Amino acid sequence: MPRFSLTTPIYYVNARPHLGHAYTTIVGDAFARWHRLNGDDVHFLTGTDEHGLKIQQAADAAGVSPQAFTDSIAPLFADAWTRLDISYDDFIRTTEERHKRGVARLLQACYEAGDIELDTYSGLYCVACEAYFTEEELEGGNCPVHKRPVERVEEENWFFRLSRFADRLLDWYAKHPGCITPSYRMNEVTSFIKQGLRDFSISRKSLAWGIPIPWDPEQVTYVWFDALANYITAVGYGNDDGAFVRNWPVSVHLIGKDIIRFHCIYWPAMLMSAGIEPPQHWAVGGWLLVGGEKMSKTTGNVVDPLDLIDDFGVDGFRYYVLSDTQYGNDGDFTYEGLVSRYNSDLANNLGNLAARVATVVQKKCNGVGTAPRADSPLSDIARQAVADSTAAWNSFQPAKALEATWSLIHATNAFLENHEPWKAEPSAELNGIMGDALEALRIVAILCVPAMPRTAQILWQRIGLDGDVSAHRLPNSVSWGQYPAGHGVEKGNPLFPRKSL
Ligand code: MSP
C-alpha cells in the first residue's frame, strides 16, 4: 500500500480555534480522505504549538500557569476538529513528553554536528509572530504581519548556523523541482536563500516556558525550533526509531503563506544538520481573509467555525471552504458568499438532483432503482469528471476537484431536464434514463467523500446502497455501469434546505 502522510501546521493555543485554522485543517482532511479512498496508507497529523512567549503572555493575562492554560485550550482544538469531521490519525501537543524527548534529541544532533553555537543577538522581535525582523522588513516601524510595534531584544543565545546551509538548500531544491507548490512560492524561497541566510537564535534566556536546552538548562528552546520538530517527534523521532524510519520523510506539509520561511528554509536546514531527509513536498495555501484582513485575535475579526456549522451543517461549511478558494490563493470569507454558494451548488444542484431522481423513481419505477445503460451519454461525462477531479486532488486543488465533480451533477440535471422523465409513462427507456441518473449519483457520492463525508454516505443510502461509501476504492469504484438495479430508493428530507440571508 503506498504511504501518504500529511501534516497541518500546529496551531498556537493562545486563543480558541478560528476560521483560518479550520480552513487549513479541512483542506488537509479532504486530502487525507482522498488518499484513503485511493487505497493509500494515510497518516494525517495535526496538533498544537504550546510553548513560547505568546502563550506565556496569554496565560499571564488569564492569571493561570502556562501548563494549565494550554491544558484548557488544546482540547478546544481537538473538539473543534471532531465537530468538523477531521479524520486526523494523530494530534500532537508540544507539551507532551514524546515531543520534548524528540526535541532534545534533535538539538543534540545539530549541536554535535557543530551547527549550534553561542552568540549575542540584538534584534527586533514580534511576539505575535514569535520572530525577528530587520529594520527594512518593518512597515512604518511595525511588524508587517500584525501591524503592531516590535520589541528590541538582546540576549546571549544559542544560534543555529543557518548561513552555512544556503548552498546545500539550493542544491537540494534544484534536485527536487516542483516540491513546493504553487511554483512561484519555490521561486520566492530560492531567491530568499540566494540573498544570503542569517543565523537564527534557537534559545531564550529570559523565558521559562519552553523545552530546556539539553546542555544548557538555563535556556529554553526557541518556539519555532521546538514547533517544527513536531513533524518528526510525532512519528517516532527520539522515541521509536523503527517507526520513524517507516514514517519519514513526510509526503506533504500543508502550510500557510506566512510560515514559508520557517518550513522551507529553517526546517530542511535543521533536518540536514541532523542527518535527516527533508520533506517531500510543501503545499502552500493563502489566507482566508475576513473583510480583506487576516483573521486574528489581535485584529478582532475572528469568525468561529462552530457557529457556521450550526447553520449550514458540517458538510455545507466544509464544501464552502474547499470550493470557494483556489488553494494557494487568498480567499475572502463573507456570510453572503457562504449563503449563495450553499444555495446554488448544494441546495439547487446536488440536493435538487438527489430529490428529483428519488421522486421520479418513486412515481414511475415503484420506488426501485433501475440499471444504467452502458452507452449512456452520461458515461463519458462521468469518466471526464473522475479524471479531472483525480488530477485536481492529486495536485492539491480541492476547488478544481469539486468543480469537476459538479460538472457531472450539472450534466445529470441537464440530462433529466432534456428527457423530462417526470412527464413520461413507465417504459424501458424511462428505466434506462433513471438508471443512468442513479449511476451518476453513485459516482458523485464517491467523489464527494473527501469534501463531504456525511453527505456522501446519506446519498449512498438514499439510492439504496449498503455499507460504507468510503470503503469503495478508486479507480474501480467509479467506472461507469455499476449501479445495481433492484434496491429501494428513498427521498428523505432535503439534503440541503435553502437558506435565506
Ligand atoms: N504555531 C505556528 C505554526 C507552527 S507549525 C510547525 C503558527 N500557528 S498559527 O496558529 O498562528 O497559524 C497556523 C497556520 O494557520 C498558519 O499556516 C496560518 O497561515 C494559518 N492561518 C492562520 N490564520 C489564517 C487565516 N485567516 N486564513 C488561513 N490560514 C490562516 O503559525
Side-chain angles (χ1 to χ4, degrees):
M1 231 200 279
R3 191 187 62 89
F4 184 84
S5 53
L6 75 164
T7 64
T8 71
I10 52 169
Y11 303 106
Y12 287 130
V13 288
N14 57 322
R16 52 189 307 117
H18 63 54
L19 183 60
H21 306 130
Y23 172 62
T24 317
T25 312
I26 291 172
V27 169
D29 185 63
F31 293 142
R33 289 179 189 268
W34 168 256
H35 281 271
R36 290 192 197 106
L37 202 56
N38 282 274
D40 293 347
D41 176 13
V42 171
H43 188 267
F44 177 28
L45 173 67
T46 189
T48 41
D49 188 353
E50 306 193 3
H51 290 125
L53 187 53
K54 190 188 180 85
I55 307 297
Q56 169 84 61
Q57 288 179 347
D60 291 348
V64 292
S65 73
Q67 186 66 58
F69 184 74
T70 59
D71 283 346
S72 69
I73 307 274
L76 301 181
F77 279 82
D79 291 349
W81 302 159
T82 303
R83 290 192 55 199
L84 289 167
D85 287 342
I86 305 300
S87 59
Y88 57 80
D89 295 291
D90 196 0
F91 186 107
I92 186 155
R93 298 183 53 186
T94 55
T95 46
E96 285 174 61
E97 285 310 315
R98 61 171 171 160
H99 178 72
K100 294 182 193 168
R101 272 196 299 275
V103 168
R105 162 103 171 259
L106 181 64
L107 283 162
Q108 197 71 44
C110 298
Y111 187 49
E112 282 166 17
D115 293 322
I116 293 181
E117 289 168 346
L118 207 55
D119 213 336
T120 303
Y121 192 72
S122 159
L124 302 163
Y125 198 72
C126 169
V127 179
C129 289
E130 293 277 19
Y132 282 105
F133 287 94
T134 59
E135 295 279 2
E136 303 79 64
E137 285 167 334
L138 300 183
E139 283 174 12
N142 289 335
C143 158
V145 180
H146 295 90
K147 323 275 187 235
R148 55 178 221 182
V150 290
E151 289 167 33
R152 181 158 289 281
V153 176
E154 183 170 323
E155 270 189 2
E156 185 173 66
N157 292 147
W158 292 98
F159 273 71
F160 181 78
R161 295 297 184 207
L162 185 66
S163 54
R164 294 175 186 161
F165 287 83
D167 290 342
R168 284 167 70 183
L169 288 168
L170 287 173
D171 266 8
W172 195 87
Y173 279 127
K175 289 197 188 103
H176 298 84
C179 70
I180 303 178
T181 51
S183 57
Y184 60 88
R185 297 292 182 194
M186 170 71 112
N187 301 340
E188 213 175 283
V189 167
T190 49
S191 49
F192 187 80
I193 301 174
K194 283 178 191 151
Q195 286 165 25
L197 296 177
R198 282 182 299 139
D199 298 339
F200 68 96
S201 146
I202 55 119
S203 69
R204 295 288 181 269
K205 217 181 232 171
S206 48
L207 181 72
W209 182 234
I211 300 175
I213 299 287
W215 60 89
D216 180 4
E218 297 285 283
Q219 301 218 24
V220 298
T221 310
Y222 170 45
V223 65
W224 268 102
F225 192 100
D226 164 346
L228 287 162
N230 91 86
Y231 301 129
I232 55 174
T233 62
V235 294
Y237 184 78
N239 294 285
D240 178 346
D241 290 342
F244 182 58
V245 168
R246 284 193 301 282
N247 287 305
W248 193 261
V250 67
S251 312
V252 58
H253 285 322
L254 297 182
I255 57 171
K257 63 179 185 178
D258 50 331
I259 53 179
I260 296 179
R261 284 183 199 172
F262 295 107
H263 281 82
C264 303
I265 298 177
Y266 287 26
W267 179 226
M270 287 158 57
L271 291 167
M272 285 172 178
S273 169
I276 303 169
E277 182 70 10
Q280 288 174 339
H281 195 100
W282 293 257
V284 182
W287 289 334
L288 192 53
L289 305 171
V290 174
E293 295 247 10
K294 187 180 183 226
M295 212 172 317
S296 78
K297 201 185 161 201
T298 331
T299 344
N301 57 348
V302 174
V303 175
D304 187 334
L306 301 181
D307 293 341
L308 298 171
I309 68 175
D310 289 341
D311 284 351
F312 295 88
V314 180
D315 281 359
F317 173 63
R318 288 173 61 111
Y319 177 81
Y320 168 77
V321 157
L322 292 165
S323 65
D324 203 60
T325 304
Q326 299 292 341
Y327 186 71
N329 298 348
D330 284 348
D332 200 10
F333 171 83
T334 60
Y335 193 77
E336 295 73 21
L338 171 55
V339 170
S340 126
R341 195 169 265 282
Y342 173 97
N343 282 340
S344 69
D345 295 1
L346 299 179
N348 295 352
N349 275 296
L350 177 54
N352 186 34
L353 176 63
R356 76 205 313 197
V357 168
T359 306
V360 178
V361 171
Q362 261 162 19
K363 290 206 176 122
K364 314 270 170 168
C365 313
N366 297 322
V368 178
T370 50
R373 300 168 297 185
D375 58 352
S376 167
L378 290 178
S379 76
D380 279 345
I381 296 168
R383 199 167 302 121
Q384 194 61 48
V386 168
D388 293 347
S389 54
T390 300
W393 283 120
N394 286 341
S395 55
F396 308 107
Q397 292 292 331
K400 287 212 170 73
L402 291 170
E403 209 179 292
T405 305
W406 256 250
S407 70
L408 178 56
I409 298 173
H410 292 303
T412 310
N413 268 322
F415 168 80
L416 292 176
E417 270 145 33
N418 194 14
H419 289 285
E420 299 190 309
W422 39 86
K423 288 190 182 160
E425 290 308 315
S427 69
E429 200 204 345
L430 178 105
N431 286 350
I433 290 169
M434 296 321 293
D436 293 351
L438 285 160
E439 171 62 351
L441 277 178
R442 186 190 69 84
I443 294 174
V444 164
I446 296 175
L447 293 179
C448 280
V449 165
M452 303 197 294
R454 292 186 190 202
T455 303
Q457 185 61 30
I458 296 172
L459 199 53
W460 190 253
Q461 284 163 350
R462 291 216 177 151
I463 59 172
L465 301 175
D466 295 331
D468 179 0
V469 56
S470 66
H472 295 264
R473 296 282 159 262
L474 264 65
N476 293 347
S477 62
V478 287
S479 64
W480 183 264
Q482 302 180 49
Y483 179 76
H487 292 263
V489 172
E490 227 189 288
K491 183 158 179 220
N493 297 330
L495 282 176
F496 299 100
R498 276 185 69 83
K499 301 284 168 200
S500 42
L501 269 179

